[in-house]
Structures are given as C-alpha cells and as structure tokens.
Amino acid sequence: MIVGAYRDACADGKFVISGEIGPPKGVKAETMLHHIDMLKDKVDGLNVTDNQSAVMRMGSLAVSGEIVRRGGDPIFQTTCRDRNRLGLQSDLLSAAFLGITNVLCLTGDHPVIGDHKQAKGVFDFDSVHLIQCCKKMNAGADWEGNELDGATDFFVGAVVTPEADPIEPQMYKFARKVEAGVDFFQTQAVYDMDNFRRFMEQAREITAGTKVKIMAGLVVLTGLGMAKYMNRAVPGIFVPDSLLEELGSVEKEEQLRKGMEIAARHIRFLRENKVCDGVHIMAIGREEIVPEIIAMSGASDA
Amino acid sequence: MIISKKKPAEEIIQALEGETKVIVVGCGECATVTQTGGEKEVAEMKAILEEAGKKVLATDVVHTGCAELDVKRVLRQHKEAVKDTEAFVVLSCGAGTQAVRAATDKHVIPGTDPLFLGNIRRSMDFIEKCSHCGACVIDEYGAICPVTRCAKGLLNGPCGGTDHGKCEVDPEMDCAWVLIHEQLKKEGREDKRTRIHGPKEWNVIRRPGELAEAREKVGAAKSGGE
Ligand code: SF4
Ligand code: SF4
C-alpha cells in the first residue's frame, strides 16, 4: 500500500477495505507500530483516530505521518471538538506537508464522554463545514478565501450512522455532506445487514449522480459481553438478537473467533451482493486479527 | 431571566477570612425569582454570616441589581455602613455583583453561581434556550436554537450521538436536532433542512459586548457634522 492507495482503490471501483489504528495513551508506540506494519499492506487505507471517545491520546496527525513514512496510506481523522477553524486548517496544511492525502471529517464526541470532562468543547466548525473547508483548500484557498501558496489535494471523507434513531435528521445531514462535496463515507458500525441494505437504498438515492463511495463500518464483536455493551451504551449501534445468540452459543474463549466469523461473513455478504463499496474494519486494540478476517471473507483474493 | 444558584455558605465565609464587617446586597429581579437573592435570601445570608461571627452593617435589595445607577443610589442610602464595611456579599448574577464593584472600591464577593439565561417553565423550573450569540438564526430551525440547545451547537444536523431522540451528553436531555426536525415537519418547512448553514460568525459582536445607543448617536451626529 502506498500513499494515494485508498483514493485509487475507490476510483478503480474495487471493494475497498480499510483498517484502523488507535494511537497510544503515552509515548510507547511499539504495539501501534507493529499493528501498522502488519496491516498496511493488507488494506487499502488505515484510519487513525483523533482522541477517540474524547479520551486524550497521541495525535492522529503525527501517527498518520508515520504511516506515510512506513509506506502505508493513512486516513487522517480530524474532529471539530478540539480545534477552532484556525487550528483545523493549520493541521490540514501540516497533514498535506506530511504527505497525508485522506482526511475523515468528524464532529467528535463531546468532552463529557471522555477522560477530560471539564474541557471546553470547541465545535467552531461542524463536520459539514470541515468538508467544505477541505474542498476550498483543494481549490487553493483557505476558508476565508485567502490564496494558499500551494493547494492541498485531499480525498475527503465523512461518517454517517445508519442505525441512528430517528434516522430522518441523520439523512438530511448525510445529504448536506454529499452537497459539501465529500468523496467517501465510512459508516458507524452496522450489524443488521437487512437494515443496512435499506439504509443503502436511501443513501444511494441521495448520492445518485455523484462518485461518492460508501464503506460499511464493521466493529468486530470480541465477545457476548462486549456485544451487549455496544447495544446498550453506544448510540447508533444495534446488534440484533440473532448475533447475540450466535455469540452466546459458544464458550467464552471461542467468542472472539465467532465474532471474527461474523465480521468475515458480513464482508462477504456486502461484497458479493454489491450492497456498498467497501468496508472499514475496526478491531479496537485487536488489530492483529484483521488480516485473518479479511482472508476468511475471501475479499483478499478479489 | 438570569438563572443562578446559591453558592455554598462555607465558600462565602472563607472568602471573608480576616474581615468582620460586611454588607449584603440582593436583587429584586432575576435573583428574587430564582430565590437566590431576594428579601428572604438576603435575610438568610445575614443570619448565616452573623452565625459565623460577622457583623452585618446593612442589607438591601436593589430593585434591578444590574442597573448601575440604581445600585449607586441604594448604596448612598447606607453611606455610613458603606464607609465602615470591609466587604460586600452580593446575591445576584455576576452582572449585579459587578454593578456593586462599579459603586465601591472595597472587597466584593459573589454570593451565587450564575448559570444561564433561562426561560421560566414554572416556579423554580428553568431552561436555557438562548445564549445571545449576536445574530439570531433560529427562523431557519423552527425557532429552536441549535447554537444553545444542541450540546455542540451544530448548525447542519445531528451528530452521531443522538440516542432514541436523546443527547449523548445527558440521556435525560432531548437532542435539539430531533426537536428541530420535528418542528420543521409540523410547519411543513422541511425545505429549511436542504441548505448548508455556514458556521457562526463569532465576531459579529465584540466580546466583551457593549451597546451604547445614545453614545453611538452622538458619535454619528458628530462625524456627520464634520
Ligand atoms: S441563534 Fe440562538 S443563541 Fe443566537 S440569538 Fe438566536 S436564540 Fe439566541
Ligand atoms: S446528540 Fe443532538 S443535541 Fe446532543 S450534541 Fe448531538 S446533535 Fe447536539
């Protein structure tokens, strides 16, 4: 995988697969670097999370830059929570300088969700503004229209929550992101393939006439307890009973394997039925299982 | 209405360390309605301070605690006490406390924690609906303010944290974006949701804010005459 691989994979119309790297809380980077090296050639792109869940960590900018240096293609996640429009744009220029080409524009979780609850959330821009801003910088100007000495060339992504309740306001926002010129979406984790198929029908209506790619988000279920927790505590995530039963049907030690099987099955289903344009696989700290999931799904020999 | 809550008495007593003589000032408007600085609360504060060994030289409730001329006039009525006192405890919002600041050079202590500009739903039940951002945009949002009522002030739709119509910040709190959406639907104005709204222009008012119409007019007349 090389810089630009993610964009190229999208342009080629192949089934796009990305993984995810969560930077460490601290300066010990060995595990993360190991995950990067192990994954970078198995996927088309590697997301790097930005203080995910409002928990302070090493920055997505530096880690994305390191992925470039190691010959991978990072997808630089950046949220509106921690920076105002000056900080965001400055980081975007820095990203371009580091050779980063993919940006995923997020609102960001509220600080009260995370480990610095007393922090002030910034939210000067929202994710729609951030997409517009990337596009302006690609066209050679900053947000205010001041000319840039060298334009950026970002492939710009955003997220959407197919299981949002209610879904209507979410779809309006999705449409605004499309209108703002987004190139690709990675969805919040989905587990109910029928629901997702219905979501995709609505989404495709909105993206008709554009080249927007939509990748399904898959968070690997690592056990019954974790699956139940996701259902209960994470907004916009729905794990159907059938999957809970499937996980529960095996011993605790076997549940991770079951979760991997489920993920692989979903990838195969989405690819074979051309439901969406690819998947974004999140294994949250267990990145070493991702290559095997891809192999199990048969997507690597596509 | 400015909504405030009482500061813990210990905090006020601690702020008065080394000082004995004190004047307690309340406010007849918001702090009276929120029961943090009306006649009753001022009397309570007097009792608390006396209990702590302080000498309360005077108490008064200014009709409008943030009206600086009112505050000055009231303090003039307590001339001797004002001269003699070491400190003022003010039971009003921070604006009222600073109105007392403008009227004296002595130690001024806030006796409440001001919270927000609130609507009164019923007695002692308040909700924040406007944070005076300087340019009201709520016609675009079914007259439900996303700047204030969405925990992230999002202008183009909900974040991914909406959970069964509630906000990720507090499961007891409605997601403003669900309210906005439902309202626009009721009005048949969902088309309001089909355009991108730019970010807030935070410079439309200089902070700290200042509006002096009379003075502005004088200025305009002057420059016009030149
Ligand atoms: S947009 Fe909201 S915060 Fe701004 S003035 Fe209107 S109601 Fe108040
Ligand atoms: S859940 Fe709704 S109200 Fe809360 S931050 Fe997100 S959009 Fe705003």
Side-chain angles (χ1 to χ4, degrees):
Chain A
M1 174 172 79
I2 45 156
V3 165
Y6 194 69
R7 186 199 311 239
D8 291 347
C10 286
D12 291 349
K14 61 173 277 212
F15 192 77
V16 181
I17 299 182
S18 52
E20 186 163 292
I21 296 295
K25 190 173 182 79
V27 296
K28 276 205 188 135
E30 290 80 7
T31 309
M32 176 188 74
L33 294 175
H34 170 67
H35 286 153
I36 292 172
D37 291 338
M38 197 186 58
L39 278 180
K40 67 180 171 48
D41 299 316
K42 300 276 191 320
V43 293
D44 300 301
L46 267 181
N47 283 37
V48 184
T49 53
D50 177 17
N51 290 335
Q52 194 173 30
S53 306
V55 171
M56 191 283 295
R57 291 170 175 282
M58 190 184 283
S60 58
L61 182 57
V63 174
S64 296
E66 180 62 17
I67 293 176
V68 172
R69 232 174 51 84
R70 288 177 178 250
D73 193 23
I75 298 160
F76 168 51
Q77 294 194 186
T78 186
T79 75
C80 299
R81 178 193 52 237
D82 307 327
R83 283 158 293 236
N84 65 10
R85 60 193 88 176
L86 270 95
L88 288 167
Q89 291 180 87
S90 174
D91 276 3
L92 286 168
L93 289 182
S94 303
F97 174 66
L98 293 172
I100 296 161
T101 58
N102 312 300
V103 181
L104 189 73
C105 302
L106 301 149
T107 304
D109 293 319
H110 196 280
V112 302
I113 305 293
D115 68 350
H116 284 64
K117 297 187 191 304
Q118 291 159 342
K120 185 177 194 305
V122 178
F123 307 112
D124 180 33
F125 271 2
D126 65 19
S127 49
V128 176
H129 304 137
L130 189 51
I131 295 163
Q132 287 182 314
C133 187
C134 290
K135 290 286 162 172
K136 281 191 184 187
M137 293 174 93
N138 280 355
D142 71 8
W143 177 260
E144 286 296 326
N146 302 306
E147 197 185 324
L148 295 176
D149 190 4
T152 60
D153 181 24
F154 290 127
F155 190 53
V156 185
V159 295
V160 61
T161 306
E163 294 282 3
D165 176 27
I167 185 69
E168 258 189 326
Q170 181 75 200
M171 295 314 285
Y172 272 106
K173 188 158 194 181
F174 176 81
R176 301 289 75 72
K177 290 176 177 180
V178 173
E179 189 185 341
V182 78
D183 298 305
F184 69 93
F185 283 93
Q186 292 176 347
T187 76
Q188 172 62 290
V190 290
Y191 294 99
D192 186 313
M193 294 296 114
D194 290 334
N195 284 357
F196 183 64
R197 213 207 277 255
R198 274 192 294 275
F199 162 81
M200 281 303 301
E201 279 163 17
Q202 281 188 52
R204 293 277 198 227
E205 267 174 41
I206 294 169
T207 61
T210 71
K211 289 187 189 149
V212 175
K213 299 287 174 183
I214 302 174
M215 273 59 82
L218 302 178
V219 172
V220 185
L221 297 170
T222 54
L224 184 59
M226 178 264 196
K228 283 184 172 163
Y229 171 81
M230 297 271 285
N231 235 354
R232 191 179 61 241
V234 187
I237 288 192
F238 167 65
V239 186
D241 286 344
S242 58
L243 292 188
L244 295 178
E245 277 162 29
E246 192 176 340
L247 282 167
S249 69
V250 299
E251 292 301 314
K252 209 164 177 205
E253 308 74 61
E254 290 299 309
Q255 287 176 357
L256 173 61
R257 181 127 299 268
K258 226 349 148 216
M260 292 168 68
E261 275 169 36
I262 292 168
R265 192 169 74 220
H266 288 171
I267 296 170
R268 184 185 293 273
F269 171 83
L270 294 169
R271 185 168 64 92
E272 286 179 354
N273 294 287
K274 297 193 165 48
V275 178
C276 56
D277 303 302
V279 287
H280 174 60
I281 308 170
M282 295 163 270
I284 314 181
R286 313 286 291 258
E287 280 70 24
E288 63 280 354
I289 63 178
V290 172
E292 197 183 342
I293 293 172
I294 297 171
M296 285 158 75
S297 76
S300 44
D301 32 76
Chain B
M1 180 119 323
I2 310 299
I3 312 306
S4 57
K5 65 178 174 51
K6 291 178 183 169
K7 255 193 195 303
E10 314 82 74
E11 217 177 286
I12 296 167
I13 290 162
Q14 205 180 356
L16 281 167
E17 206 190 306
E19 293 163 335
T20 318
K21 290 179 273 185
V22 51
I23 292 176
V24 181
V25 184
C27 162
E29 300 273 11
C30 307
T32 293
V33 173
T34 58
Q35 300 178 16
T36 51
E39 297 284 357
K40 183 165 158 270
E41 295 77 30
V42 166
E44 276 169 13
M45 181 51 63
K46 177 170 188 269
I48 289 168
L49 293 175
E50 284 173 349
E51 174 88 356
K54 308 293 175 191
K55 222 171 132 195
V56 179
L57 303 187
T59 65
D60 212 328
V61 174
V62 183
H63 183 272
T64 306
C66 55
E68 300 198 345
L69 291 178
D70 272 12
V71 174
K72 283 187 179 140
R73 193 171 38 73
V74 168
L75 291 194
R76 271 201 301 275
Q77 290 163 9
H78 299 279
K79 225 170 171 177
E80 284 311 309
V82 167
K83 215 159 87 187
D84 202 23
T85 195
E86 291 163 297
F88 291 81
V89 170
V90 189
L91 303 181
S92 74
C93 70
T97 305
Q98 292 179 72
V100 175
R101 160 79 302 138
T104 171
D105 284 330
K106 297 207 170 150
H107 186 192
V108 175
I109 298 162
T112 75
D113 287 315
L115 304 174
F116 51 84
L117 168 62
N119 290 22
I120 308 165
R121 284 194 288 211
R122 59 185 79 82
S123 173
M124 294 306 281
D125 180 355
F126 310 107
I127 182 169
E128 183 179 27
K129 293 192 170 177
C130 170
S131 45
H132 30 77
C133 69
C136 197
V137 295
I138 62 177
D139 183 41
E140 303 282 341
Y141 303 94
I144 293 172
C145 174
V147 180
T148 308
R149 299 176 70 183
C150 162
K152 298 174 187 170
L154 303 178
L155 300 175
N156 286 296
C159 70
T162 322
D163 204 9
H164 302 94
K166 299 294 175 184
C167 174
E168 73 174 23
V169 165
D170 182 346
E172 302 281 295
M173 194 162 76
D174 290 326
C175 168
W177 269 101
V178 175
L179 299 180
I180 291 167
H181 183 76
E182 290 305 317
Q183 180 58 41
L184 287 172
K185 246 170 50 180
K186 278 185 215 157
E187 294 173 35
R189 295 199 310 147
E190 277 166 277
D191 58 321
K192 290 282 173 202
R193 293 287 295 109
T194 56
R195 121 179 147 71
I196 295 176
H197 299 282
K200 284 253 98 183
E201 295 170 9
W202 293 114
N203 64 340
V204 290
I205 37 167
R206 187 207 64 195
R207 299 275 184 186
E210 214 175 351
L211 177 70
E213 229 168 283
R215 220 182 297 161
E216 250 173 33
K217 273 184 199 140
V218 171
K222 199 173 152 201
S223 61
E226 274 169 5

